[in-house]
Amino acid sequence: MSSTTPSPGRPSALDPAIAGRLKRTPDGLVAAIAQQYDTGEVLMLGWMDDEALHRTLTTGRCTYWSRSRREYWVKGDTSGHVQHVKSVSLDCDGDTVLVRVDQVGAACHTGDRTCFDAGRLDPGAPAPAGH
């Protein structure tokens, strides 16, 4: 299920009506936010191209494009921490998708439930010395 290059500019099986609504980065990607469907907990941010979005919509499992590994990955295939898709929505600008999922296990590669519990940034907090 992997590829060495994302599919921008190449034919994709993604519905053309959906593809036409996407506003992609210069490298053909859109941000994809994974959210726990029943609690609203924000779990992680990944990247999708047209093919990854197509796979997500048709398989019911989140597929992302790894910018560092330059390949597709299905959340949970190696870790067992699967994301079962409940719904997918496009934001008003067409540059971000919200994937509401039922997360099994940790969403973060560190083993944490969410990628957003590493440290809160409080507004108005003093900046670290030297900044």
Side-chain angles (χ1 to χ4, degrees), residues 30-61:
V30 295
I33 299 168
Q35 179 185 41
Q36 178 63 34
Y37 82 100
D38 54 354
T39 66
E41 179 181 29
V42 177
L43 300 169
M44 61 172 279
L45 173 101
W47 295 94
M48 293 182 179
D49 66 359
D50 289 18
E51 182 60 24
L53 180 55
H54 168 72
R55 293 178 190 187
T56 297
L57 291 168
T58 58
T59 67
R61 298 266 314 278

Side-chain angles (χ1 to χ4, degrees), residues 72-94:
Y72 295 105
W73 58 281
V74 179
K75 183 69 175 167
D77 271 2
T78 56
S79 67
H81 300 164
V82 177
Q83 292 176 340
H84 297 284
V85 176
K86 297 294 186 177
S87 68
V88 180
S89 302
L90 185 61
D91 79 336
C92 59
D93 294 324

